[in-house]
Structures are given as C-alpha cells and as structure tokens.
C-alpha cells in the first residue's frame, strides 16, 4: 500500500507541475488584423479573447468598425503579456510598423494597403 500511495503522490505532483508550466506556454493576449469584405478597410486590435472580439466586430458592436461590416480575420499574433501586445499593436499602427506588417506578415505591398483604424 505504501508504494502505491507514494506513486500516486509522485504522479499527482508531476501533473500539477506540468499544468503550472503549460499555463505559461499559452498566449494570453493577441494582436489581430481584420479586413472588411466589402470595403478597403483594415483594422488592427488586441484582445485576450479573439473569438469573442471577432464576433463583436462582425455584430457591429465596435464603434471603429461597425460601418465596414463584415470582416475576415487576416492574421493574429499571440503574446504572453498585455504590455507586449499593446506595444506591438501601437507599433503596427506606425508607418514602419504597417510596412513590416504588410510585407513580412501579410505578404503584400504596404503602398496598396487599405486604411487602418486604431483600437
């Protein structure tokens, strides 16, 4: 009985440790890029729940995007902290950030990119 009890404890401790480590492997905040299907309009934002936020945009619940419905998700980037996400989002809204975003991440020319709105 002792050995079974000890093995149970070791396995349980290992699983708790694994769960603790896995928590930090998953991204908690992401930057996302939306493109209107009907207009030349692109939106860059950040959220901790991409599925919910994407639905809010397509339901017209965002002041910045409600006039450009519907949207498709072009890309998203997962980050581990909100400060990293806000910093990268702010950078992507600058001239050089837009150029990097379009050329390196989205794979298209930034000179022909649609207007962008801020969050």
């Amino acid at each position: 009985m002792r050995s079974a009890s000890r093995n149970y404890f070791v396995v349980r401790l290992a699983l708790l440790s694994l769960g603790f480590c896995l928590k930090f492997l998953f991204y908690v905040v992401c930057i996302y890029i939306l493109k209107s299907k009907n207009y030349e309009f692109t939106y860059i934002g950040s959220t901790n729940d991409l599925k919910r936020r994407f639905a809010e945009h397509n339901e017209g619940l965002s002041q910045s995007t409600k006039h450009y419905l519907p949207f498709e998700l072009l890309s998203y980037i997962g980050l581990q902290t909100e400060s990293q996400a806000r910093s990268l989002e702010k950078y992507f809204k600058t001239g050089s950030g837009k150029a990097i975003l379009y050329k390196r991440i989205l794979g298209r020319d930034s000179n022909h990119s649609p207007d962008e709105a801020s969050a």
Side-chain angles (χ1 to χ4, degrees):
M1 284 291 191
R2 262 190 180 167
S3 126
S5 177
R6 178 163 164 64
N7 287 343
Y8 171 77
F9 176 75
V10 170
V11 168
R12 186 164 184 234
L13 182 61
L15 289 174
L16 287 173
S17 298
L18 178 63
F20 181 76
C21 292
L22 287 176
K23 178 181 175 185
F24 293 102
L25 293 177
F26 293 106
Y27 301 115
V28 293
V29 183
C30 68
I31 306 283
Y32 60 93
I33 300 96
L34 302 178
K35 182 186 180 314
S36 172
K37 291 181 179 181
N38 297 331
Y39 300 93
E40 288 297 313
F41 180 81
T42 301
Y43 180 84
I44 300 169
S46 62
T47 184
N48 61 355
D49 187 345
L50 183 58
K51 186 176 181 178
R52 173 192 52 81
R53 190 67 178 131
F54 183 63
E56 288 175 356
H57 282 293
N58 276 317
E59 291 168 8
L61 300 176
S62 172
Q63 285 291 331
S64 301
T65 60
K66 69 180 182 179
H67 300 291
Y68 304 99
L69 300 175
F71 285 94
E72 64 181 329
L73 181 65
L74 291 182
S75 185
Y76 63 93
I77 302 167
L79 298 155
Q80 292 182 339
T81 68
E82 187 173 339
S83 63
Q84 288 174 325
R86 297 288 181 196
S87 178
L88 187 58
E89 177 187 0
K90 187 175 179 180
Y91 171 69
F92 281 152
K93 292 176 179 178
T94 66
S96 60
K98 287 177 190 178
I100 294 294
L101 175 66
Y102 283 100
K103 187 172 184 178
R104 301 291 179 204
I105 296 173
L106 299 177
R108 56 185 197 198
D109 188 4
S110 64
N111 293 331
H112 296 78
S113 64
D115 294 332
E116 295 193 21
S118 58

